[in-house]
Amino acid sequence: MSFKTADICDDFASKLEVCQSEFKSYGKKPKFFGPISTVKVFEDNVLVVDLLESIPAGSVLVVDGGGSRRCALMGDRLGGIAESRKLAGVIINGCVRDSEDLAKLDVGIFALGTNPLKSKKEGKGEKHVTVTFGGIDWKPGSYAYADQDGVVVSDQKLL
């Protein structure tokens, strides 16, 4: 489905929150949307893997990594899981690695930047909770719409 976040803002501004964080696109799909699933972690991606393997196809996994740029929360292996499970996309308030490989995957991947260092593997964090970054609350079950102009979130499906 074709859409532009600018057009969504024009048509539904009163029903949206606009993310103030500026993300870079790392997956093959620079535009994606779907229902949100959330995970809150800090420099630990065990729960990210858990959700990538369990949330429904078509979902957007929103990862609140606390904005840390000290390690990556997703690399080629996790990106491959997102692609194979047919997720719409992943939005990471943190970093990715293996960016050359991520660019070949047929999935949307937005992150703040890259870092070659892998994360810890302790399993700490929270799943399916409201997370806050970029000036908005990301609630499980809300809808995220992402493209080259940014990310907008609505409590209801707009497209």
Side-chain angles (χ1 to χ4, degrees):
M1 172 177 284
S2 182
F3 72 92
K4 293 187 340 187
T5 56
D7 291 342
I8 291 172
C9 285
D10 290 348
D11 295 340
F12 302 102
S14 65
K15 297 180 181 181
L16 297 175
E17 291 187 273
V18 178
C19 183
Q20 296 166 18
S21 296
E22 188 171 338
F23 297 102
K24 295 176 186 168
S25 177
Y26 292 97
K28 199 175 191 178
K29 290 186 175 178
K31 179 185 292 197
F32 57 92
F33 77 94
I36 293 171
S37 289
T38 63
V39 62
K40 183 174 184 163
V41 296
F42 189 74
E43 299 177 0
D44 182 336
N45 72 354
V46 171
L47 295 181
V48 176
V49 175
D50 185 44
L51 283 175
L52 286 171
E53 293 175 338
S54 63
I55 63 175
S59 296
V60 174
L61 178 58
V62 175
V63 180
D64 182 1
S68 174
R69 293 178 176 264
R70 298 190 305 194
C71 66
L73 293 173
M74 172 181 273
D76 58 348
R77 188 177 70 82
L78 274 60
I81 295 169
E83 179 188 48
S84 70
R85 298 220 45 258
K86 300 189 182 334
L87 300 185
V90 182
I91 298 171
I92 303 171
N93 184 30
C95 290
V96 296
R97 68 185 203 162
D98 303 316
S99 59
E100 185 177 341
D101 297 318
L102 294 178
K104 299 171 187 169
L105 298 176
D106 195 27
V107 65
I109 302 169
F110 278 20
L112 298 177
T114 59
N115 187 311
L117 183 66
K118 68 180 178 180
S119 72
K120 295 180 275 189
K121 310 291 186 232
E122 297 173 353
K124 294 178 181 176
E126 298 175 272
K127 301 186 289 188
H128 310 296
V129 296
T130 298
V131 297
T132 303
F133 63 87
I136 64 174
D137 294 328
W138 305 78
K139 297 174 234 153
S142 291
Y143 284 79
Y145 300 84
D147 69 7
Q148 299 88 331
D149 289 333
V151 181
V152 298
V153 175
S154 171
D155 286 338
Q156 58 192 350
K157 187 175 182 181
L158 301 174
L159 301 177

